Amino acid sequence: MQSEDARYLKRIRLKSLNTNTDVAALARKVVEECKLIHPSKLSEVEQLLFYLQNRKKASGKEKRVVKPRDLTPFEGMEIDEEANINKVEEYVELLYEGMEEKVKGATLILHLARNPVNLEELLENETALGALARVLREDWKQSVELATTIIYVFFCFSSFSQFHGLVTHYKIGALCMNVMEHELKRYDLWQDELQKKTRTYILHFRLWVWALRKEHEKAFKKYQGLLVKQEQLLRVALYLLLNLAEDTRTELKMRNKNIVHMLVKTLDRENEELLVLVVSFLKKLSIFLENKNDMAEVDTVERLSRLVPCEHEDLLNITLRLLLNLSFDTGLRIKMVQVGLLPKLTSLLGDENHKQMAMCILYHISVDDRFKSMFAYTDCIPQLMKMLFEHGEERIDAELISFCINLAANKKNAQLICEGNGLKMLMKRALKLKDPLLMKMIRNISQHDGPPKHLFIDYVGDLAAQITPDENEEYVIECLGTLANLTIADLDWELVLKEYNLVPYFKDRLKPGSAEDDLILEVVIMIGTVSMDDSCAAMLAKSGIIPAIIELLNAQQEDDEFVCQIVYVFYQMVFHQATREVIIKETQAPAYLIDLMHDKNAEIRKVCDNTLDIIAGYPPVTPVSLRGILLCNPSLSEGILLCNPSLSEGILLCNPSLSEGILLCNPSLSEGYPPV
């Protein structure tokens, strides 16, 4: 029983307490033998024993999930003697003997530490822990077995967050870093030595000197034995560091000691259990920018690529998760493509266990336009199409449809998607479910010139029918965008506008604030597309849409995308006489175009220049419009003069360099000018 003062503490060891113990009988025996417990406390003792008995049961159930069980016993841990918690002092004394005794003492303590029930009692034994830390600090270079065993003891403590302070107190983390650095250097030396012996063996083998064969085999076996022991040590040390890295401050200290480079260097090993641990550690570190940058500096992706695919399910899964974290970096995505990960990841799309991770990485790669075309040379698109159609009427996974949207932005991919009944199936599903994301994919397909675009002629009516005020705006935006992409000469847009009564819808949506800006912008783009048709342009002019567009231009003059698309509408309309006369005579559009010639956006200036060029080439042009055009673009003077000789005076004022030609055409203007 425990009192408030530790001096009055009496510890009672119950060696016979297990799941089959008669708690009532044991409680009576404890009261009889311990004179400090009054018989009246029998029921309390029995209740306490019952609690201890059930706690042991619970701890037994947890053995499958606690981290110490993740490390399997290794060679050298076997021992004939059964470890006893009551003999810890004897085991500590062995740590002061020779190397063999030290290994034995550490191993016996390890057997105790592997049982979580013993950890609290070992924690109170500062002598034992201090001796273990001292021996590790002094002798870790002398014996790999000793270093592995002692680090394993502290690893058992590190598996529980409440004991991290103890491990830090004895500076075991720093020692593990030193051990790792030393062992990696030893590994490099072994590799160099083995390669030298191998080259020598091959040379003599060609010279028929067979006597060196046994020597080479012996050296290789020795190397294999050393490697097994070293990897056991590395695995225990890394696992301990991984546990301590729960604290970000501790993790930062590890980074400062170059933990990332050490881990990446370890990726060359063949031990799958060690690799699982190393990749898990790298994955944890990769969520911080500084660590990710460290990984980018070394050949992390190159070393990881050999692990994809692999037969070890856990290793493959954790490798894909690490690659996903790294794929957020543009430079690392480029490396992934360069080392040939694209076809490897594509092959995993058929694996149910790894499909999701592989798809997320491929999605990130597909964001870059440089790599979109590379997917056409894999079996990626047929697999994605199969996945799309397997969803039935369920909502498509965000990762899958986002990936498809990116791929559809490439012409070659779009052609593969449309092969067979691909487009027909996509349209059928999109129209039935009214799925805006699927329609966005279809919209991306429609932007490519060539065979895919002409396939959409059969679906113009279906798409136009979706453009109603009652439909979801996001869905309507994608339908409008798809139609706006269909710049096909044979398409009768006038019939489409009339049959589906789209002109009133366009006019209503052009009012500023009538809908989301994205929808209004798509309406403007759609008007630009249909304005290529002469009859459509005339219909729009009669409906009064041009003043509505100018009003929208006033409201959205700070938005370059809106301005550029509205100017493009004017550009299309001035090709047709009916709309050209309305724009020049009845609106202030030319004045707006003149003002926009000074816009900072080069694309806007270019479209304005082309539009004014067309206006200047068609009579009649008013002197007021002429003066403004010439002030902004004097290079148009000569063309206007040829079409409009009556405007010579205005041109001469704007561009005196043309005086010779003008005076020849109009001698009445010769007064005041030098003779020709």
Side-chain angles (χ1 to χ4, degrees):
M1 298 297 105
Q2 182 174 346
S3 68
E4 292 181 1
D5 194 328
R7 292 175 298 174
Y8 303 103
L9 178 66
K10 171 66 176 177
R11 191 182 300 276
I12 302 174
R13 300 192 186 280
L14 303 171
K15 299 178 183 179
S16 60
L17 182 61
N18 54 50
T19 54
N20 300 318
T21 302
D22 184 346
V23 174
L26 181 60
R28 287 195 296 272
K29 184 178 180 182
V30 169
V31 172
E32 289 173 5
E33 294 186 0
C34 185
K35 303 302 180 182
L36 297 175
I37 303 175
H38 195 272
S40 62
K41 301 290 185 180
L42 178 62
S43 60
E44 292 181 28
V45 173
E46 186 175 340
Q47 186 177 4
L48 183 59
L49 292 174
F50 179 77
Y51 164 76
L52 291 172
Q53 185 183 47
N54 283 281
R55 188 184 70 171
K56 285 195 172 186
K57 286 181 183 177
S59 65
K61 290 178 182 177
E62 292 172 2
K63 287 180 182 178
R64 284 175 290 180
V65 295
V66 292
K67 287 185 178 178
R69 293 298 176 268
D70 293 339
L71 275 176
T72 54
F74 50 85
E75 185 181 351
M77 277 186 61
E78 302 85 1
I79 196 165
D80 296 334
E81 184 179 344
E82 184 178 351
N84 190 326
I85 192 68
N86 298 317
K87 296 181 179 180
V88 174
E89 286 74 12
E90 296 178 18
Y91 306 153
V92 172
E93 289 178 7
L94 292 173
L95 297 176
Y96 293 91
E97 303 295 331
M99 188 58 66
E100 189 176 337
E101 287 77 12
K102 287 179 181 178
V103 173
K104 180 181 178 182
T107 304
L108 287 165
I109 295 173
L110 173 58
H111 278 265
L112 295 174
R114 278 173 55 80
N115 185 348
V117 175
N118 296 326
L119 289 178
E120 289 192 9
E121 191 161 341
L122 287 172
L123 180 66
E124 295 175 4
N125 195 327
E126 294 183 8
T127 304
L129 296 176
L132 286 168
R134 177 189 60 78
V135 172
L136 177 63
R137 192 161 44 250
E138 294 175 357
D139 297 334
W140 65 268
K141 287 184 181 180
Q142 309 302 319
S143 170
V144 174
E145 292 87 349
L146 180 63
T148 306
T149 305
I150 295 177
I151 292 174
Y152 203 151
V153 173
F154 285 101
F155 159 74
C156 294
F157 284 99
S158 74
S159 300
F160 302 94
S161 300
Q162 61 266 38
F163 298 141
H164 284 187
L166 163 79
V167 181
T168 305
H169 172 72
Y170 289 107
K171 299 183 179 179
I172 304 302
L175 273 172
C176 286
M177 293 291 294
N178 293 337
V179 168
M180 273 194 65
E181 185 177 7
H182 176 75
E183 292 301 326
L184 290 174
K185 288 179 181 177
R186 286 181 68 195
Y187 177 76
D188 291 340
L189 291 173
W190 294 344
Q191 289 283 85
D192 292 341
E193 186 179 344
L194 186 64
Q195 286 175 6
K196 288 177 184 177
K197 290 187 176 181
T198 302
R199 283 196 295 268
T200 304
Y201 168 69
I202 292 172
L203 177 63
H204 286 83
F205 177 81
R206 289 175 180 171
L207 297 174
W208 299 94
V209 181
W210 296 91
L212 290 173
R213 180 174 181 177
K214 288 187 178 180
E215 184 180 342
H216 177 265
E217 290 178 353
K218 182 179 179 182
F220 185 73
K221 284 182 180 179
K222 180 182 177 183
Y223 165 76
Q224 292 282 45
L226 291 171
L227 192 61
V228 168
K229 291 182 178 180
Q230 186 188 69
E231 289 179 345
Q232 289 170 351
L233 173 58
L234 289 174
R235 189 169 170 227
V236 177
L238 277 173
Y239 218 145
L240 182 143
L241 291 171
L242 178 59
N243 288 342
L244 295 182
E246 289 178 5
D247 186 342
T248 53
R249 292 170 298 179
T250 304
E251 184 179 304
L252 180 59
K253 291 178 182 178
M254 294 180 193
R255 177 184 177 267
N256 293 337
K257 290 194 173 185
N258 221 13
I259 184 69
V260 172
H261 288 224
M262 292 184 196
L263 289 168
V264 172
K265 202 171 182 181
T266 314
L267 287 173
D268 289 336
R269 306 299 179 105
E270 298 298 330
N271 186 313
E272 291 178 335
E273 295 302 323
L274 176 62
L275 287 172
V276 168
L277 184 56
V278 171
V279 178
S280 299
F281 207 153
L282 285 169
K283 174 184 165 291
K284 182 185 185 306
L285 294 170
S286 67
I287 64 175
F288 292 101
L289 179 65
E290 297 81 4
N291 296 330
K292 184 268 297 177
N293 291 340
D294 287 346
M295 293 178 203
E297 290 175 3
V298 291
D299 51 352
T300 308
V301 172
E302 290 85 338
R303 294 175 190 242
L304 288 173
S305 65
R306 75 180 185 90
L307 304 178
V308 180
C310 66
E311 294 182 1
H312 195 290
E313 287 288 309
D314 291 339
L315 178 56
L316 179 55
N317 181 267
I318 199 67
T319 301
L320 291 174
R321 291 176 182 276
L322 171 57
L323 286 170
L324 177 60
N325 285 358
L326 298 179
S327 67
F328 285 90
D329 182 274
T330 304
L332 290 172
R333 286 202 300 272
I334 293 172
K335 282 188 179 180
M336 289 179 193
V337 175
Q338 289 173 344
V339 299
L341 271 173
L342 189 60
K344 291 182 177 182
L345 292 167
T346 300
S347 68
L348 292 175
L349 291 176
D351 188 329
E352 199 62 35
N353 294 328
H354 306 294
K355 175 175 68 177
Q356 198 72 8
M357 283 295 108
M359 189 181 299
C360 290
I361 301 168
L362 289 169
Y363 165 74
H364 284 169
I365 294 173
S366 71
V367 170
D368 197 318
D369 290 336
R370 291 173 293 178
F371 306 135
K372 284 185 172 72
S373 61
M374 299 180 72
F375 287 90
Y377 303 99
T378 69
D379 63 343
C380 180
I381 291 173
Q383 291 192 69
L384 293 178
M385 295 297 287
K386 182 182 177 183
M387 291 179 204
L388 281 176
F389 300 139
E390 283 176 350
H391 272 77
E393 295 189 3
E394 299 173 3
R395 179 68 66 177
I396 302 172
D397 296 336
E399 294 84 0
L400 173 58
I401 190 61
S402 301
F403 187 22
C404 292
I405 289 169
N406 283 354
L407 293 184
N410 176 265
K411 185 175 181 178
K412 181 64 176 175
N413 293 335
Q415 291 173 347
L416 290 174
I417 291 170
C418 293
E419 281 185 355
N421 291 324
L423 181 60
K424 180 180 179 181
M425 297 295 290
L426 288 174
M427 286 296 304
K428 183 178 178 181
R429 180 183 175 85
L431 294 170
K432 183 177 181 180
L433 301 180
K434 300 189 184 298
D435 186 340
L437 290 177
L438 192 54
M439 189 58 73
K440 184 184 286 289
M441 177 185 173
I442 293 170
R443 176 182 176 178
N444 280 356
I445 296 171
S446 70
Q447 71 184 345
H448 306 293
D449 293 327
K453 183 167 287 190
H454 289 277
L455 293 174
F456 281 88
I457 293 177
D458 297 335
Y459 306 106
V460 170
D462 294 323
L463 290 166
Q466 310 305 309
I467 303 170
T468 64
D470 301 327
E471 289 290 355
N472 179 291
E473 280 195 1
E474 290 183 14
Y475 178 62
V476 173
I477 286 170
E478 302 308 330
C479 292
L480 275 169
T482 305
L483 285 171
N485 285 334
L486 303 183
T487 50
I488 303 171
D490 300 334
L491 197 54
D492 188 348
W493 282 115
E494 183 184 15
L495 180 63
V496 174
L497 295 182
K498 286 180 178 178
E499 186 170 343
Y500 296 97
N501 198 29
L502 294 180
V503 175
Y505 177 86
F506 292 166
K507 196 171 179 182
D508 289 340
R509 286 293 176 265
L510 287 175
K511 296 174 183 176
S514 63
E516 291 292 330
D517 282 354
D518 288 344
L519 179 55
I520 298 174
L521 180 61
E522 290 303 329
V523 170
V524 174
I525 296 171
M526 182 67 184
I527 292 172
T529 298
V530 300
S531 294
M532 291 187 293
D533 183 274
D534 187 64
S535 55
C536 278
M539 183 192 302
L540 293 171
K542 290 177 184 177
S543 70
I545 264 184
I546 295 175
I549 292 175
I550 292 175
E551 184 183 349
L552 181 64
L553 178 60
N554 282 327
Q556 299 286 356
Q557 56 187 324
E558 299 300 324
D559 190 317
D560 283 359
E561 183 65 22
F562 262 102
V563 173
C564 193
Q565 293 298 340
I566 290 172
V567 173
Y568 179 74
V569 171
F570 292 148
Y571 172 76
Q572 290 293 348
M573 286 187 168
V574 295
F575 277 108
H576 314 294
Q577 183 178 353
T579 47
R580 182 169 61 251
E581 290 180 357
V582 172
I583 288 173
I584 294 173
K585 293 181 179 180
E586 300 178 15
T587 72
Q588 295 296 316
Y592 280 110
L593 293 172
I594 291 166
D595 288 340
L596 290 170
M597 283 295 296
H598 301 288
D599 196 272
K600 60 185 179 182
N601 189 305
E603 195 64 32
I604 292 175
R605 293 199 305 271
K606 181 180 177 182
V607 180
C608 286
D609 186 32
N610 293 337
T611 308
L612 289 170
D613 200 357
I614 294 168
I615 292 174
Y618 288 94
V621 182
T622 64
V624 175
S625 300
L626 171 73
R627 184 178 296 274
I629 293 171
L630 293 178
L631 286 172
C632 290
N633 202 340
S635 65
L636 297 176
S637 304
E638 197 167 348
I640 296 173
L641 178 62
L642 293 173
C643 297
N644 299 276
S646 62
L647 298 174
S648 304
E649 185 174 1
I651 294 174
L652 190 59
L653 291 172
C654 293
N655 200 340
S657 65
L658 296 175
S659 58
E660 184 175 349
I662 292 172
L663 292 175
L664 288 173
C665 295
N666 199 341
S668 63
L669 296 175
S670 60
E671 187 178 351
Y673 289 95
V676 178

